[in-house]
Amino acid sequence: MSSGEIRGLPGFRDFFPEEFALRRHIFSAWRRVGARYGFTEYDGPPLEPLELYTRKSGEEIVGQLYAFEDKGGRDVALRPEMTPTFARMMAARAAGLPKPVRWFSIPQLFRYERPQRGRLREHFQLNMDIVGETDPLADAEIIAAGIDALRELGLGAADIVVRVSDRRLVAALLDALGIPVREHLAVFAAIDRLEREGEDPIRGRLAAAGVDGKRADRLFEALRLPLADLMAAHGGERPLEEAAAGLQTVFSYLDATGFADFVRFDARLVRGLAYYTGTVFEIWDRRDELRAICGGGRYDDLLRALGGVNLPALGFGMGDVVLAELLRARGLVPSELRRVDDYIICVSEDERPTALRLARALRDQGRHVLYDLRARGVGRQFKAANQAGAARTIVLGPEEVGRGVVSLRDMGSGAEREIAIEALTRAAAAEVERASPESSE
């Protein structure tokens, strides 16, 4: 065997304890919000038939996938996104599920792309979807859930903004400008790149789609307008009026929810994926220093295309890579992601059996307990307790153990007191009982 360091693959992460603690912190917040909104968690396999992705995105997506032929001769791929798996699973159970269905998942996804800031070759992603409802309240609900998934981590309206639009509205605008329906997908793709590339490069893309310079100018001007001004300038056509009314209803629901400060209309937002059919949205940091944190919208035809089930649906994906960067930039990574409640210190090895019994009793009550695994001096044990971030130390000396007590020290204040061992374990049990969900009902 050759010697030397074996490095990890580019674009993949090692989760050392600190990074894993942050990951767990994010996932826990996501799960809490999912539960509050009545979503049920699910998961699927990381390896799927390649056709599941080519049917949705075309053969060109294969170059972005970890795709290969397995030992059974099947063309397979590591999942690059969750929506196709979700559609396949939903199709298998849709007939027996009460509607609307609310599911969420936190899958690990893989794409063979050039690693860059905010995008790696693997990441975890919160996926939340609602199936079986067309009312605009469902659109507002999924956007609110995305906002709350970030609020739960300490981000507020000063940190994030939700840009909201509607593909039907922009399509109706293109009709009003005389741009043929057959060119809409190409124009959508051009608009999707507008903010990144600027108007001059996009003029060339629009020209290739048959949009002349005069219509391009009118389109750019319209896309910059607030919703009310856009309707004042281009209203009158029924499809445009209906799309605008639906979007205004979504905004009114979000306003009633208390999220008006988080959202704004942006007609330039169309989302590049062709399967979106209505409301679309993305969540960005207010300073525009990072990639989009979250993106989603309504995709009423996708379940039929992928799973043969004709049900309306909408949802979003929120990646952990950009989110972790934003939390670090805003100072929102908890300083004490690792928690030790008690560190038991033995003055001599004679107290070790008592320490082990006490540790088990406290751990049975749900407390996080450490002690030294070798005989060391009291000073070094206190140093280890400090390094572990212990909230308190429990000192067992021969004289104290003989009386059935321990010396309890609060590591924050330095205050010390004696407490009976039996009373210590009873207090821990009472603390757990007070904290349990059943005790608060």
Side-chain angles (χ1 to χ4, degrees):
M1 181 180 293
S2 60
S3 61
E5 179 184 7
I6 298 178
R7 298 178 180 271
L9 295 171
F12 288 78
R13 294 170 289 178
D14 293 316
F15 288 92
F16 291 98
E18 301 80 15
E19 289 84 7
F20 192 87
L22 176 57
R23 172 177 138 186
R24 186 174 62 247
H25 174 65
I26 292 171
F27 289 8
S28 295
W30 286 348
R31 287 190 168 102
R32 288 193 299 271
V33 171
R36 289 175 197 161
Y37 276 74
F39 284 74
T40 303
E41 187 168 6
Y42 74 99
D43 199 1
L47 195 67
E48 289 276 21
L50 179 61
E51 183 186 3
L52 191 63
Y53 307 112
T54 57
R55 185 184 297 183
K56 170 178 171 286
S57 304
E59 292 293 333
E60 60 273 13
I61 196 176
V62 175
Q64 302 174 27
L65 305 183
Y66 282 90
F68 55 94
E69 183 179 293
D70 72 4
K71 292 182 179 181
R74 293 172 288 262
D75 291 326
V76 298
L78 288 174
R79 61 186 178 195
E81 57 176 316
M82 197 62 178
T83 302
T85 296
F86 171 74
R88 180 180 59 74
M89 293 174 63
M90 183 58 59
R93 297 284 181 91
L97 293 172
K99 312 300 185 297
V101 179
R102 296 175 181 237
W103 282 5
F104 84 95
S105 184
I106 308 177
Q108 188 174 23
L109 306 176
F110 306 86
R111 278 186 182 263
Y112 194 80
E113 298 178 317
R114 181 174 63 86
Q116 52 190 292
R117 186 184 184 193
R119 173 168 290 187
L120 302 174
R121 288 177 173 169
E122 59 80 21
H123 71 282
F124 290 90
Q125 180 171 290
L126 170 63
N127 280 74
M128 301 186 80
D129 296 270
I130 298 175
V131 174
E133 183 55 70
T134 59
D135 194 280
L137 184 54
D139 301 63
E141 179 85 340
I142 203 73
I143 294 171
I147 294 171
D148 270 336
L150 297 173
R151 289 179 65 238
E152 185 73 7
L153 291 161
L155 295 164
D159 304 298
I160 58 172
V161 58
V162 188
R163 299 163 54 194
V164 184
S165 185
D166 194 304
R167 293 272 291 230
R168 294 164 297 194
L169 177 71
V170 179
L173 174 63
L174 299 185
D175 287 339
L177 294 175
I179 298 174
V181 173
R182 66 178 180 274
E183 305 295 349
H184 281 194
L185 285 181
V187 175
F188 277 135
I191 294 172
D192 188 53
R193 305 174 71 93
L194 179 59
E195 191 169 3
R196 295 192 299 274
E197 297 184 8
E199 292 185 0
D200 288 341
I202 297 304
R203 287 180 187 278
R205 296 179 181 274
L206 292 175
V211 180
D212 59 37
K214 186 175 181 179
R215 282 195 177 92
D217 288 339
R218 293 178 63 199
L219 176 61
F220 291 151
E221 181 181 349
L223 294 176
R224 289 192 289 265
L225 295 174
L227 182 57
D229 294 344
L230 177 62
M231 296 311 299
H234 299 279
E237 297 291 332
R238 183 173 179 180
L240 196 61
E241 296 283 354
E242 290 178 349
L247 193 55
Q248 286 169 333
T249 301
V250 173
F251 278 111
S252 70
Y253 285 141
L254 289 168
D255 188 9
T257 306
F259 288 150
D261 291 344
F262 285 85
V263 298
R264 66 177 172 86
F265 172 71
D266 189 342
R268 296 172 301 172
L269 177 66
V270 294
R271 302 282 290 157
L273 300 172
Y275 61 74
Y276 286 113
T277 59
T279 305
V280 288
F281 67 96
E282 291 179 349
I283 305 180
W284 292 76
D285 75 287
R286 287 278 186 183
R287 301 177 190 174
D288 285 331
E289 296 173 343
L290 301 168
R291 306 175 68 91
I293 308 163
C294 172
R298 180 169 284 281
Y299 53 93
D300 286 344
D301 301 327
L302 187 62
L303 294 185
R304 182 173 65 246
L306 292 181
V309 176
N310 188 17
L311 284 172
L314 68 161
F316 69 78
M318 179 183 295
D320 72 316
V321 177
V322 176
L323 178 54
E325 286 198 39
L326 182 58
L327 294 177
R328 292 188 185 99
R330 299 294 187 272
L332 292 173
V333 177
S335 58
E336 295 183 2
L337 288 174
R338 182 179 65 172
R339 179 170 65 90
V340 175
D341 295 314
D342 302 316
Y343 200 103
I344 301 176
I345 294 175
C346 296
V347 174
S348 73
E349 282 301 288
D350 291 339
E351 292 78 55
R352 182 68 67 185
T354 303
L356 295 175
R357 286 193 296 273
L358 178 58
R360 176 181 173 177
L362 293 171
R363 285 168 173 167
D364 282 350
Q365 304 300 341
R367 295 185 68 81
H368 300 192
V369 182
L370 288 179
Y371 47 76
D372 237 316
L373 298 177
R374 64 170 64 183
R376 295 202 293 178
V378 171
R380 295 188 69 181
Q381 292 180 69
F382 268 109
K383 182 178 180 180
N386 270 316
Q387 291 173 337
R392 67 185 187 183
T393 55
I394 302 171
V395 182
L396 302 177
E399 192 271 333
E400 289 84 359
V401 171
R403 293 190 289 116
V405 301
V406 298
S407 177
L408 200 65
R409 176 185 291 187
D410 185 296
M411 296 298 282
S413 66
E416 292 188 42
R417 63 188 175 97
E418 282 191 352
I419 183 172
I421 294 174
E422 185 179 348
L424 179 63
T425 55
R426 282 202 310 267
E431 182 179 323
V432 170
E433 177 64 22
R434 286 193 300 271
S436 67
E438 292 82 2
S439 66
S440 62
E441 292 179 352

